[in-house]
Amino acid sequence: MGPEEFRRHGREVIDWIADYYQRLESLPVLSRVAPGEVRAGLPAEPPAAGQGFDGVLADLDSVILPGLTHWQHPSFFAFFPASATGPSILGDLLASGLGVQGMLWATSPAATELETLMLDWLAQLLDLPAGFRSESAGGGVIQHSASDAALVALVAALHRASAGATETDGVGAGRFSVYTSAQTHSSVEKACRIAGIGTAALRKLDVDPATLAARPAHLAKLLAADVAAGRTPALVVASVGATGTGALDPVAELAELAHRYGAWLHVDAAWAGVAAVCEELRWINAGVERADSYCTNPHKWLLTNFDCTAFWVADRAALIGALSILPEYLRNAATESGEVFDYRDWQVPLGRRFRALKLWTVLRWYGADGLQAHIRGHVALAQEFASWVAADNRFELLAPHPLALVTFASREGDQATRELLQAVNASGEAYLTHTLVDGRFAIRMAIGSVLTERRHVEAAWKAITSRAAQPGQGGNSVRVG
């Protein structure tokens, strides 16, 4: 594909994407294809000869599009948001066009230095501790996801807890323990498996029934018991905005206990952390200054395309010590000088894309004011939605909702809640997901799509209330609009 062909087809692709966003609201949120339907719509064998790009766009419309669940749809309220915006898409396109492999500073100095600056910018916007900035002993890096952040935090914690012995002797069964709330994302358990200490090393903390936050007293009990049994506490994970309910753990108290026993304290603020761009929401940072590492995802709620997880450490030496291997073919003068960051030493894979470009385009396009308006708008919509739930005697709120996640259930029980969720999702009018709260089946309403307006939240509430079971003694549906 020569430059002129690329120019012509590139314009067609940009037009297709722009048209997609214009028609997005008319599409059902959740894909309705049956298993195997997409594959059956495409040839079983690869083409023997090259084909024109027009056919790709045609198949995209007729086969691929019906098989998509539309994460950018304004009525997508499931999981957590997965941002995609014009500035970020263009930044990603530039990164793809440049084709940089930024594993070392030497392989593209601008890729490394822009990433370092963007993590410093973001730390400043979120009012994170100065110790996370690059000019300190710490620093930031872009990971693929919060799951990667949890894994590298665990590997660094094991390295520190073992004084580096894990790199030569392995982790050994039954030597280390990891602690986290029962509300914490499953990535922590997966990290334990990948790191080789196994699921048996994971300790789940009880939660406060009112706040659903981890109970420090239970952590203290588990830490003492493990030490008495000859195990080494390696990592404590505190959640700031847990996936199921948005629960906020007491970071400072968990950190005090973790450090008392020599464990690493990692804060997983994947979804909620970016809310700290708003001064009035920076209370969510309480205790973060005592963390050894911290992550939040601009690709969830801060207008940046996946993948882009911001991960900071207070002391980069443990992270680099755990992950750095320097074969001869990677040696170079800049690395040997010790004056540069080589981000290959801050992550699991060697190779890395120029992901800082899309974060750069987003921060420059929106500025602090635009980012704050985005977050504040969604928080306000969630509070309004929660007020509608509270005013309708068919439903009850099951968790605090200070940000943009509302967790609720039918008062008629789990079966009624489950059937309601299935009916709303099957309608194509909205897409929501579920969780368990103290054993109860609950619906999650996560507001965060870039395109969501109040009318979409109203429409979702109408879809819910029109299908909800009536209480035994009758009920009055709250009116909106």
Side-chain angles (χ1 to χ4, degrees):
M1 185 180 286
E4 290 309 312
E5 285 181 305
F6 177 79
R7 193 186 312 277
R8 177 166 63 87
H9 292 307
R11 287 169 176 160
E12 291 172 352
V13 169
I14 293 292
D15 285 343
W16 189 95
I17 294 171
D19 290 343
Y20 170 72
Y21 277 96
Q22 286 185 320
R23 60 177 166 153
L24 185 54
E25 193 170 342
S26 67
L27 302 173
V29 188
L30 192 62
S31 174
R32 294 174 170 177
V33 301
E37 188 174 334
V38 173
R39 177 169 180 163
L42 297 169
E45 303 292 335
Q51 299 177 344
F53 204 80
D54 293 340
V56 172
L57 291 180
D59 284 348
L60 189 63
D61 275 319
S62 63
V63 182
I64 303 301
L65 199 62
L68 295 180
T69 290
H70 301 287
W71 283 69
Q72 308 311 315
H73 197 290
S75 295
F76 184 99
F77 302 110
F79 305 108
F80 280 129
S83 296
T85 61
S88 183
I89 293 169
L90 294 176
D92 228 3
L93 177 61
L94 288 169
S96 295
L98 291 170
V100 165
Q101 214 284 44
M103 57 187 175
L104 301 166
W105 179 90
T107 59
S108 273
T112 295
E113 294 190 16
L114 183 65
E115 183 163 340
T116 303
L117 179 61
M118 288 307 97
L119 271 294
D120 283 348
W121 275 16
L122 192 54
Q124 183 178 347
L125 286 167
L126 301 180
D127 195 31
L128 294 177
F132 286 151
R133 311 273 181 90
S134 61
E135 64 269 17
S136 71
V141 62
I142 297 176
Q143 302 283 356
H144 297 86
S145 70
S147 298
D148 292 89
L151 176 59
V152 297
L154 175 56
V155 172
L158 292 169
H159 173 83
R160 190 174 74 176
S162 66
T166 55
E167 281 60 69
T168 55
D169 302 332
V171 293
R175 289 176 57 192
F176 301 101
S177 297
V178 174
Y179 311 82
T180 192
S181 161
Q183 290 284 324
T184 300
H185 193 271
S186 59
S187 59
V188 178
E189 180 175 347
K190 189 171 186 178
C192 289
R193 295 185 185 184
I194 295 171
I197 60 176
T199 301
L202 185 62
R203 310 287 187 259
K204 294 290 185 71
L205 305 179
D206 294 341
V207 299
D208 182 285
T211 65
L212 301 175
R215 293 179 56 243
H218 191 215
L219 175 60
K221 181 179 179 180
L222 292 174
L223 286 165
D226 277 334
V227 169
R231 299 177 69 97
T232 300
L235 177 71
V236 176
V237 179
S239 290
V240 174
T243 300
T245 62
L248 302 156
D249 289 340
V251 175
E253 295 176 71
L254 299 183
E256 193 279 327
L257 288 166
H259 294 160
R260 185 187 304 173
Y261 287 88
W264 184 289
L265 191 285
H266 173 61
V267 175
D268 184 338
W271 160 66
V274 297
V277 296
C278 302
E279 293 89 341
E280 71 275 15
L281 297 176
R282 285 182 180 160
W283 54 266
I284 67 173
N285 284 342
V288 168
E289 70 280 357
R290 305 197 63 185
D292 294 287
S293 58
Y294 177 95
C295 79
T296 190
N297 292 350
H299 69 232
K300 275 191 167 71
W301 199 15
L302 205 66
L303 302 163
T304 306
N305 287 47
F306 187 84
D307 55 344
C308 186
T309 288
F311 175 70
W312 292 270
V313 289
D315 180 4
R316 57 181 176 267
L319 181 67
I320 294 172
L323 296 174
S324 179
I325 298 177
L326 186 60
E328 184 61 34
Y329 54 82
L330 292 180
R331 292 186 181 277
N332 63 88
T335 295
E336 300 287 348
S337 75
E339 296 178 359
V340 301
F341 285 175
D342 286 334
Y343 278 133
R344 67 175 186 102
D345 296 332
W346 297 53
Q347 61 174 24
V348 173
L350 172 63
R352 56 198 336 269
R353 297 182 67 241
F354 195 177
R355 289 172 295 200
L357 263 180
K358 59 189 172 189
L359 186 57
W360 187 45
T361 55
V362 166
L363 297 184
R364 292 188 65 171
W365 178 268
Y366 291 99
D369 290 346
L371 300 176
Q372 291 164 354
H374 170 69
I375 297 294
R376 285 171 179 150
H378 288 156
V379 171
L381 286 175
Q383 302 317 303
E384 189 169 14
F385 180 86
S387 73
W388 300 339
V389 175
D392 192 316
N393 64 359
R394 290 174 292 178
F395 305 106
E396 60 181 315
L397 296 165
L398 297 186
H401 48 84
L403 299 174
L405 173 65
V406 181
T407 306
F408 65 101
S410 168
R411 292 185 183 274
E412 296 297 297
D414 286 356
Q415 186 60 28
T417 305
R418 185 178 288 105
E419 290 175 356
L420 173 60
L421 178 64
Q422 291 171 348
V424 171
N425 288 344
S427 73
E429 298 170 29
Y431 181 31
L432 299 88
T433 46
H434 74 278
T435 190
L436 292 178
V437 180
D438 195 22
R440 293 185 59 185
F441 189 92
I443 297 174
R444 299 170 66 262
M445 176 78 172
I447 298 174
S449 171
V450 176
L451 302 176
T452 297
E453 300 173 5
R454 187 179 187 273
R455 62 189 177 90
H456 302 110
V457 179
E458 289 179 350
W461 180 240
K462 182 178 179 181
I464 291 166
T465 55
S466 65
R467 294 170 174 84
Q470 294 295 329
Q473 294 180 347
N476 297 312
S477 176
V478 64
R479 297 188 63 183
V480 298

